Amino acid sequence: MDYLKHTIALGTLLLVLSPLAAQNNPNRVRIQNSGIPRHLLPPEVIPQIPLTEEERITIDRGISDLRSPDKEVRTGAVMILGKYDHPSARLPVIEALSDESPRVRRAALVSVAEWSRGAPHQAIIPVLKLVGDEDLEIRRTASATIPTMMTIRQTYQIVRPSPDGPKPLPSDIIATLKAGFKDEDPVVRRNLVNHYYSLNINLPGETWIELLNDPDRQVRLAALPLAARHAPREVFFAKAKELAKSEDRIERLQLARELNLRGVHPEAQEILKLLQEDEDQEVASEAILGQLKFASTNSLFKTAVKRLLEGKMTQDQGIRFFRVIQINPNDAIPYLPSLIQLDDSVLRREAVAAYLDSGIADGKPRKLDPLVEDPSESVRKEVINYLASGTGRTDDTLIETMVFSPYLDVRAGLITVSNQFQAEPAAELLMDLLLDENVQIRARALQETVNRKLSPWSEVLSASLLDPDYQMQRAALGLILKNPFPGDTEALTNFLTEHPDSPLAPLIRARLGKPKGSDT
């Protein structure tokens, strides 16, 4: 709400300052381009763009045609007037929403729907009233526009607040909307259920239970989470027991998900136990997850692990299971060595993260060897971060595995890991990486060596300046200029002798104060 107020206030200021809002703007820019409907702001803030003489004549003719006894003439008039962004055209279209002819009402409703959030607030009540229209097409269209109409209403109440505060919808409109939940057409019922939270009205709990018995499957599925929230608890759980035996797999899965959110209730746990035996693997796994969140037991945990290892959980369910493990990490320790073998790389990463967090691998670098060679980069990253944090330990075998890894990210990760080493082993490791086939690895290793002044950093820097790769030469030169050392002049002079035409030569000559041609 505060964000909406801020946006409107800012938009108003911009429009006041903008020359596009001036009444004599030759470009006749329509206000909907600003994102704020003109009708929400007073005319002294946004002057109404004047109509041309031709537009005025056309609108007057359309208004006159709306008084015609011929419904076809009135329909044509509505369609023409609906194209004009001007109160003199739009208000007559809104009045046509109550025309005696369904054809005219349909044309008017289509026009209002096309205006979207730019529709005047005067359209809200007439449109909502049409949710109870005798014409099926009108009821479907009107019920589909509920979110738009309610957004306009909310915005209008903020921009033009009433001294008495926000007013509720008229009682007859509320009655019409409530009746829409029992409309004979499933599309209308579906629209009402899907847009329930836009309406800000209360329905009796019995209505939600009735909707769970709706003949239309989509209505039942849309109503299920709402019934779980708004129907009396004992009534909902009684109905949920019936739904647990539904022949519709999606209905049972949706039920399990809703009970998953309400597993704190004994009634929910009871139904979840029934669904745990469901013939559908996804439904059964969902039921197990729901129980684990609120009543974790060793046998239930073991069952969940078994299902995950057997591929009987979806990836999303597997991820949520690892969130349960984060809450009860000790329960998972016996199973983590098996879980890090999962085929799904996303789930394997979750398992490796839990495995490393558990402390199983602390001080045991042998357990990390296969993980740094995992085909999944996200898994390898978990291991590198673990080692870089100082929690994990390395040994010569693990270091050798990483130095000669085919994965660039592992070799690069070693540079970060080297920060955990004392000077001598760090220098030895970085020396190995300075021989890497990848120039980016070599450049990063050089940078780390110089930053830590690891002996013999100055000799390494001089030698790197003669690296056959230009990128490495450039990196070495930049470090020499920032980190002068005894002998750096000799190193730069040697470079000029061997590479007098290098793109780096002018910079080096400037550093040495030598003109071109005097490189000896």
mmCIF file with all atom_site columns, all heavy atoms in Angstrom, residues 154-169:
data_model
loop_
_atom_site.group_PDB
_atom_site.id
_atom_site.type_symbol
_atom_site.label_atom_id
_atom_site.label_alt_id
_atom_site.label_comp_id
_atom_site.label_asym_id
_atom_site.label_entity_id
_atom_site.label_seq_id
_atom_site.pdbx_PDB_ins_code
_atom_site.Cartn_x
_atom_site.Cartn_y
_atom_site.Cartn_z
_atom_site.occupancy
_atom_site.B_iso_or_equiv
_atom_site.pdbx_formal_charge
_atom_site.auth_seq_id
_atom_site.auth_comp_id
_atom_site.auth_asym_id
_atom_site.auth_atom_id
_atom_site.pdbx_PDB_model_num
ATOM 1   N N   . GLN A 1 154 ? -9.311  0.335  -5.321 1.00 0.00 ? 154 GLN A N   1
ATOM 2   C CA  . GLN A 1 154 ? -8.327  0.549  -4.270 1.00 0.00 ? 154 GLN A CA  1
ATOM 3   C C   . GLN A 1 154 ? -7.494  1.798  -4.550 1.00 0.00 ? 154 GLN A C   1
ATOM 4   O O   . GLN A 1 154 ? -7.243  2.615  -3.642 1.00 0.00 ? 154 GLN A O   1
ATOM 5   C CB  . GLN A 1 154 ? -7.414  -0.675 -4.158 1.00 0.00 ? 154 GLN A CB  1
ATOM 6   C CG  . GLN A 1 154 ? -6.370  -0.559 -3.052 1.00 0.00 ? 154 GLN A CG  1
ATOM 7   C CD  . GLN A 1 154 ? -5.391  -1.714 -3.060 1.00 0.00 ? 154 GLN A CD  1
ATOM 8   O OE1 . GLN A 1 154 ? -4.875  -2.078 -4.107 1.00 0.00 ? 154 GLN A OE1 1
ATOM 9   N NE2 . GLN A 1 154 ? -5.143  -2.295 -1.895 1.00 0.00 ? 154 GLN A NE2 1
ATOM 10  N N   . THR A 1 155 ? -7.065  1.955  -5.802 1.00 0.00 ? 155 THR A N   1
ATOM 11  C CA  . THR A 1 155 ? -6.258  3.120  -6.163 1.00 0.00 ? 155 THR A CA  1
ATOM 12  C C   . THR A 1 155 ? -7.048  4.411  -5.972 1.00 0.00 ? 155 THR A C   1
ATOM 13  O O   . THR A 1 155 ? -6.534  5.407  -5.450 1.00 0.00 ? 155 THR A O   1
ATOM 14  C CB  . THR A 1 155 ? -5.787  3.005  -7.626 1.00 0.00 ? 155 THR A CB  1
ATOM 15  O OG1 . THR A 1 155 ? -5.114  1.757  -7.810 1.00 0.00 ? 155 THR A OG1 1
ATOM 16  C CG2 . THR A 1 155 ? -4.836  4.134  -7.980 1.00 0.00 ? 155 THR A CG2 1
ATOM 17  N N   . TYR A 1 156 ? -8.298  4.388  -6.382 1.00 0.00 ? 156 TYR A N   1
ATOM 18  C CA  . TYR A 1 156 ? -9.136  5.584  -6.259 1.00 0.00 ? 156 TYR A CA  1
ATOM 19  C C   . TYR A 1 156 ? -9.324  5.966  -4.790 1.00 0.00 ? 156 TYR A C   1
ATOM 20  O O   . TYR A 1 156 ? -9.311  7.150  -4.432 1.00 0.00 ? 156 TYR A O   1
ATOM 21  C CB  . TYR A 1 156 ? -10.495 5.341  -6.919 1.00 0.00 ? 156 TYR A CB  1
ATOM 22  C CG  . TYR A 1 156 ? -11.380 6.572  -6.945 1.00 0.00 ? 156 TYR A CG  1
ATOM 23  C CD1 . TYR A 1 156 ? -11.191 7.557  -7.908 1.00 0.00 ? 156 TYR A CD1 1
ATOM 24  C CD2 . TYR A 1 156 ? -12.387 6.760  -6.005 1.00 0.00 ? 156 TYR A CD2 1
ATOM 25  C CE1 . TYR A 1 156 ? -11.978 8.694  -7.935 1.00 0.00 ? 156 TYR A CE1 1
ATOM 26  C CE2 . TYR A 1 156 ? -13.175 7.895  -6.016 1.00 0.00 ? 156 TYR A CE2 1
ATOM 27  C CZ  . TYR A 1 156 ? -12.971 8.864  -6.989 1.00 0.00 ? 156 TYR A CZ  1
ATOM 28  O OH  . TYR A 1 156 ? -13.755 9.990  -7.001 1.00 0.00 ? 156 TYR A OH  1
ATOM 29  N N   . GLN A 1 157 ? -9.494  4.977  -3.922 1.00 0.00 ? 157 GLN A N   1
ATOM 30  C CA  . GLN A 1 157 ? -9.678  5.259  -2.500 1.00 0.00 ? 157 GLN A CA  1
ATOM 31  C C   . GLN A 1 157 ? -8.427  5.857  -1.872 1.00 0.00 ? 157 GLN A C   1
ATOM 32  O O   . GLN A 1 157 ? -8.510  6.590  -0.891 1.00 0.00 ? 157 GLN A O   1
ATOM 33  C CB  . GLN A 1 157 ? -10.071 3.972  -1.759 1.00 0.00 ? 157 GLN A CB  1
ATOM 34  C CG  . GLN A 1 157 ? -11.482 3.500  -2.074 1.00 0.00 ? 157 GLN A CG  1
ATOM 35  C CD  . GLN A 1 157 ? -11.812 2.164  -1.430 1.00 0.00 ? 157 GLN A CD  1
ATOM 36  O OE1 . GLN A 1 157 ? -10.922 1.396  -1.079 1.00 0.00 ? 157 GLN A OE1 1
ATOM 37  N NE2 . GLN A 1 157 ? -13.093 1.883  -1.278 1.00 0.00 ? 157 GLN A NE2 1
ATOM 38  N N   . ILE A 1 158 ? -7.260  5.547  -2.463 1.00 0.00 ? 158 ILE A N   1
ATOM 39  C CA  . ILE A 1 158 ? -6.017  6.120  -1.952 1.00 0.00 ? 158 ILE A CA  1
ATOM 40  C C   . ILE A 1 158 ? -5.830  7.547  -2.457 1.00 0.00 ? 158 ILE A C   1
ATOM 41  O O   . ILE A 1 158 ? -5.487  8.455  -1.699 1.00 0.00 ? 158 ILE A O   1
ATOM 42  C CB  . ILE A 1 158 ? -4.820  5.248  -2.385 1.00 0.00 ? 158 ILE A CB  1
ATOM 43  C CG1 . ILE A 1 158 ? -4.885  3.879  -1.706 1.00 0.00 ? 158 ILE A CG1 1
ATOM 44  C CG2 . ILE A 1 158 ? -3.495  5.930  -2.054 1.00 0.00 ? 158 ILE A CG2 1
ATOM 45  C CD1 . ILE A 1 158 ? -3.857  2.895  -2.224 1.00 0.00 ? 158 ILE A CD1 1
ATOM 46  N N   . VAL A 1 159 ? -6.081  7.735  -3.756 1.00 0.00 ? 159 VAL A N   1
ATOM 47  C CA  . VAL A 1 159 ? -5.852  9.059  -4.358 1.00 0.00 ? 159 VAL A CA  1
ATOM 48  C C   . VAL A 1 159 ? -6.941  10.048 -3.974 1.00 0.00 ? 159 VAL A C   1
ATOM 49  O O   . VAL A 1 159 ? -6.671  11.226 -3.736 1.00 0.00 ? 159 VAL A O   1
ATOM 50  C CB  . VAL A 1 159 ? -5.769  8.910  -5.893 1.00 0.00 ? 159 VAL A CB  1
ATOM 51  C CG1 . VAL A 1 159 ? -5.586  10.274 -6.551 1.00 0.00 ? 159 VAL A CG1 1
ATOM 52  C CG2 . VAL A 1 159 ? -4.614  8.004  -6.281 1.00 0.00 ? 159 VAL A CG2 1
ATOM 53  N N   . ARG A 1 160 ? -8.175  9.560  -3.911 1.00 0.00 ? 160 ARG A N   1
ATOM 54  C CA  . ARG A 1 160 ? -9.298  10.432 -3.551 1.00 0.00 ? 160 ARG A CA  1
ATOM 55  C C   . ARG A 1 160 ? -9.996  9.878  -2.308 1.00 0.00 ? 160 ARG A C   1
ATOM 56  O O   . ARG A 1 160 ? -11.124 9.385  -2.370 1.00 0.00 ? 160 ARG A O   1
ATOM 57  C CB  . ARG A 1 160 ? -10.305 10.486 -4.710 1.00 0.00 ? 160 ARG A CB  1
ATOM 58  C CG  . ARG A 1 160 ? -9.730  10.957 -6.053 1.00 0.00 ? 160 ARG A CG  1
ATOM 59  C CD  . ARG A 1 160 ? -9.871  12.448 -6.216 1.00 0.00 ? 160 ARG A CD  1
ATOM 60  N NE  . ARG A 1 160 ? -9.503  12.866 -7.557 1.00 0.00 ? 160 ARG A NE  1
ATOM 61  C CZ  . ARG A 1 160 ? -10.369 13.178 -8.520 1.00 0.00 ? 160 ARG A CZ  1
ATOM 62  N NH1 . ARG A 1 160 ? -11.668 13.060 -8.308 1.00 0.00 ? 160 ARG A NH1 1
ATOM 63  N NH2 . ARG A 1 160 ? -9.937  13.585 -9.695 1.00 0.00 ? 160 ARG A NH2 1
ATOM 64  N N   . PRO A 1 161 ? -9.321  9.880  -1.164 1.00 0.00 ? 161 PRO A N   1
ATOM 65  C CA  . PRO A 1 161 ? -9.899  9.253  0.033  1.00 0.00 ? 161 PRO A CA  1
ATOM 66  C C   . PRO A 1 161 ? -11.155 9.967  0.513  1.00 0.00 ? 161 PRO A C   1
ATOM 67  O O   . PRO A 1 161 ? -11.278 11.188 0.427  1.00 0.00 ? 161 PRO A O   1
ATOM 68  C CB  . PRO A 1 161 ? -8.772  9.369  1.063  1.00 0.00 ? 161 PRO A CB  1
ATOM 69  C CG  . PRO A 1 161 ? -7.967  10.546 0.609  1.00 0.00 ? 161 PRO A CG  1
ATOM 70  C CD  . PRO A 1 161 ? -8.035  10.525 -0.886 1.00 0.00 ? 161 PRO A CD  1
ATOM 71  N N   . SER A 1 162 ? -12.080 9.185  1.019  1.00 0.00 ? 162 SER A N   1
ATOM 72  C CA  . SER A 1 162 ? -13.303 9.741  1.589  1.00 0.00 ? 162 SER A CA  1
ATOM 73  C C   . SER A 1 162 ? -13.036 10.183 3.019  1.00 0.00 ? 162 SER A C   1
ATOM 74  O O   . SER A 1 162 ? -12.273 9.527  3.738  1.00 0.00 ? 162 SER A O   1
ATOM 75  C CB  . SER A 1 162 ? -14.407 8.673  1.580  1.00 0.00 ? 162 SER A CB  1
ATOM 76  O OG  . SER A 1 162 ? -15.505 9.092  2.358  1.00 0.00 ? 162 SER A OG  1
ATOM 77  N N   . PRO A 1 163 ? -13.638 11.276 3.460  1.00 0.00 ? 163 PRO A N   1
ATOM 78  C CA  . PRO A 1 163 ? -13.446 11.735 4.848  1.00 0.00 ? 163 PRO A CA  1
ATOM 79  C C   . PRO A 1 163 ? -13.873 10.672 5.862  1.00 0.00 ? 163 PRO A C   1
ATOM 80  O O   . PRO A 1 163 ? -13.361 10.632 6.983  1.00 0.00 ? 163 PRO A O   1
ATOM 81  C CB  . PRO A 1 163 ? -14.345 12.981 4.937  1.00 0.00 ? 163 PRO A CB  1
ATOM 82  C CG  . PRO A 1 163 ? -14.510 13.430 3.521  1.00 0.00 ? 163 PRO A CG  1
ATOM 83  C CD  . PRO A 1 163 ? -14.500 12.193 2.694  1.00 0.00 ? 163 PRO A CD  1
ATOM 84  N N   . ASP A 1 164 ? -14.800 9.822  5.464  1.00 0.00 ? 164 ASP A N   1
ATOM 85  C CA  . ASP A 1 164 ? -15.299 8.778  6.370  1.00 0.00 ? 164 ASP A CA  1
ATOM 86  C C   . ASP A 1 164 ? -14.545 7.462  6.233  1.00 0.00 ? 164 ASP A C   1
ATOM 87  O O   . ASP A 1 164 ? -14.929 6.448  6.832  1.00 0.00 ? 164 ASP A O   1
ATOM 88  C CB  . ASP A 1 164 ? -16.797 8.523  6.090  1.00 0.00 ? 164 ASP A CB  1
ATOM 89  C CG  . ASP A 1 164 ? -17.623 9.779  6.282  1.00 0.00 ? 164 ASP A CG  1
ATOM 90  O OD1 . ASP A 1 164 ? -17.276 10.579 7.183  1.00 0.00 ? 164 ASP A OD1 1
ATOM 91  O OD2 . ASP A 1 164 ? -18.590 9.968  5.525  1.00 0.00 ? 164 ASP A OD2 1
ATOM 92  N N   . GLY A 1 165 ? -13.476 7.472  5.428  1.00 0.00 ? 165 GLY A N   1
ATOM 93  C CA  . GLY A 1 165 ? -12.707 6.255  5.242  1.00 0.00 ? 165 GLY A CA  1
ATOM 94  C C   . GLY A 1 165 ? -13.250 5.418  4.094  1.00 0.00 ? 165 GLY A C   1
ATOM 95  O O   . GLY A 1 165 ? -14.293 5.732  3.504  1.00 0.00 ? 165 GLY A O   1
ATOM 96  N N   . PRO A 1 166 ? -12.540 4.325  3.748  1.00 0.00 ? 166 PRO A N   1
ATOM 97  C CA  . PRO A 1 166 ? -12.975 3.475  2.641  1.00 0.00 ? 166 PRO A CA  1
ATOM 98  C C   . PRO A 1 166 ? -14.374 2.913  2.878  1.00 0.00 ? 166 PRO A C   1
ATOM 99  O O   . PRO A 1 166 ? -14.698 2.472  3.978  1.00 0.00 ? 166 PRO A O   1
ATOM 100 C CB  . PRO A 1 166 ? -11.925 2.349  2.630  1.00 0.00 ? 166 PRO A CB  1
ATOM 101 C CG  . PRO A 1 166 ? -10.745 2.922  3.338  1.00 0.00 ? 166 PRO A CG  1
ATOM 102 C CD  . PRO A 1 166 ? -11.290 3.859  4.363  1.00 0.00 ? 166 PRO A CD  1
ATOM 103 N N   . LYS A 1 167 ? -15.175 2.952  1.844  1.00 0.00 ? 167 LYS A N   1
ATOM 104 C CA  . LYS A 1 167 ? -16.534 2.434  1.950  1.00 0.00 ? 167 LYS A CA  1
ATOM 105 C C   . LYS A 1 167 ? -16.598 1.015  1.394  1.00 0.00 ? 167 LYS A C   1
ATOM 106 O O   . LYS A 1 167 ? -15.950 0.702  0.385  1.00 0.00 ? 167 LYS A O   1
ATOM 107 C CB  . LYS A 1 167 ? -17.497 3.337  1.176  1.00 0.00 ? 167 LYS A CB  1
ATOM 108 C CG  . LYS A 1 167 ? -17.617 4.746  1.761  1.00 0.00 ? 167 LYS A CG  1
ATOM 109 C CD  . LYS A 1 167 ? -18.613 5.574  0.971  1.00 0.00 ? 167 LYS A CD  1
ATOM 110 C CE  . LYS A 1 167 ? -18.735 6.985  1.553  1.00 0.00 ? 167 LYS A CE  1
ATOM 111 N NZ  . LYS A 1 167 ? -19.706 7.824  0.792  1.00 0.00 ? 167 LYS A NZ  1
ATOM 112 N N   . PRO A 1 168 ? -17.386 0.149  2.023  1.00 0.00 ? 168 PRO A N   1
ATOM 113 C CA  . PRO A 1 168 ? -17.518 -1.217 1.495  1.00 0.00 ? 168 PRO A CA  1
ATOM 114 C C   . PRO A 1 168 ? -18.350 -1.210 0.216  1.00 0.00 ? 168 PRO A C   1
ATOM 115 O O   . PRO A 1 168 ? -19.020 -0.220 -0.112 1.00 0.00 ? 168 PRO A O   1
ATOM 116 C CB  . PRO A 1 168 ? -18.237 -1.951 2.629  1.00 0.00 ? 168 PRO A CB  1
ATOM 117 C CG  . PRO A 1 168 ? -19.019 -0.876 3.328  1.00 0.00 ? 168 PRO A CG  1
ATOM 118 C CD  . PRO A 1 168 ? -18.169 0.357  3.257  1.00 0.00 ? 168 PRO A CD  1
ATOM 119 N N   . LEU A 1 169 ? -18.296 -2.301 -0.497 1.00 0.00 ? 169 LEU A N   1
ATOM 120 C CA  . LEU A 1 169 ? -19.146 -2.434 -1.675 1.00 0.00 ? 169 LEU A CA  1
ATOM 121 C C   . LEU A 1 169 ? -20.610 -2.407 -1.250 1.00 0.00 ? 169 LEU A C   1
ATOM 122 O O   . LEU A 1 169 ? -20.962 -2.839 -0.146 1.00 0.00 ? 169 LEU A O   1
ATOM 123 C CB  . LEU A 1 169 ? -18.859 -3.755 -2.389 1.00 0.00 ? 169 LEU A CB  1
ATOM 124 C CG  . LEU A 1 169 ? -17.495 -3.868 -3.088 1.00 0.00 ? 169 LEU A CG  1
ATOM 125 C CD1 . LEU A 1 169 ? -17.257 -5.312 -3.522 1.00 0.00 ? 169 LEU A CD1 1
ATOM 126 C CD2 . LEU A 1 169 ? -17.434 -2.937 -4.285 1.00 0.00 ? 169 LEU A CD2 1
#
